[in-house]
Amino acid sequence: MQLTKSEMEIMDVLWDAEKPLSRADLLSRSEEKTWKDSSVHILLNGLLQKGAIQEAGLVKRSKTYGRVFLPALTREEYFANTIFSHPHKPNIVGLFDALLRRDDITQEDLEQISAMISQRTKH
């Protein structure tokens, strides 16, 4: 799944919110958007069709009801899927090596990764 820049801006708002958001919520939280307010409906429908978001119910706004949305996958799942769906996908060992050599990887990150690998290899 490839998302446009505008779709990514909406996804970032949804990921950061950690709760279902309505169209109005998205508009009020999208501070540095590159899209027009009138485009939000089109963008949301595109994200629904791509499977990036899902409907999470309805909320009452004044006299009407509006849909609320949640991401259908985490930010990390999106980027992992993007990397491995690329036609020139990297070797997984080389990718992990490059990630682990980054200066912003903390000791705590390494310990968590090590624990995940240990847990995964037990199965």
Side-chain angles (χ1 to χ4, degrees):
M1 159 190 348
Q2 289 284 31
L3 300 180
T4 67
K5 180 179 179 180
S6 297
E7 290 171 335
M8 279 300 296
E9 290 172 6
I10 289 177
M11 291 303 296
D12 282 333
V13 172
L14 288 168
W15 283 321
D16 292 343
E18 298 180 351
K19 68 176 188 173
L21 296 179
S22 68
R23 185 178 71 83
D25 295 332
L26 281 164
L27 290 172
S28 69
R29 292 173 183 234
S30 299
E31 297 171 8
E32 295 182 23
K33 64 184 187 299
T34 59
W35 42 274
K36 295 181 181 180
D37 290 358
S38 59
S39 302
V40 72
H41 183 71
I42 294 166
L43 292 167
L44 288 170
N45 283 335
L47 289 167
L48 282 166
Q49 288 176 349
K50 291 178 179 182
I53 63 172
Q54 60 191 14
E55 289 184 39
L58 298 170
V59 294
K60 188 170 184 177
R61 295 272 185 207
S62 303
K63 296 178 181 180
T64 62
Y65 287 87
R67 299 180 295 175
V68 290
F69 304 94
L70 277 174
L73 67 169
T74 66
R75 183 180 271 124
E76 293 76 16
E77 289 168 332
Y78 169 74
F79 282 104
N81 290 340
T82 300
I83 289 169
F84 290 106
S85 65
H86 192 276
H88 304 288
K89 62 184 167 194
N91 170 281
I92 194 163
V93 175
L95 176 63
F96 271 93
D97 181 50
L99 288 170
L100 294 172
R101 284 187 280 117
R102 292 184 49 90
D103 291 337
D104 52 352
I105 299 291
T106 66
Q107 186 62 36
E108 183 180 339
D109 292 335
L110 292 172
E111 290 167 6
Q112 289 178 358
I113 292 166
S114 180
M116 284 188 275
I117 291 170
S118 293
Q119 183 66 29
R120 181 72 190 237
T121 56
K122 288 181 183 177
H123 291 114

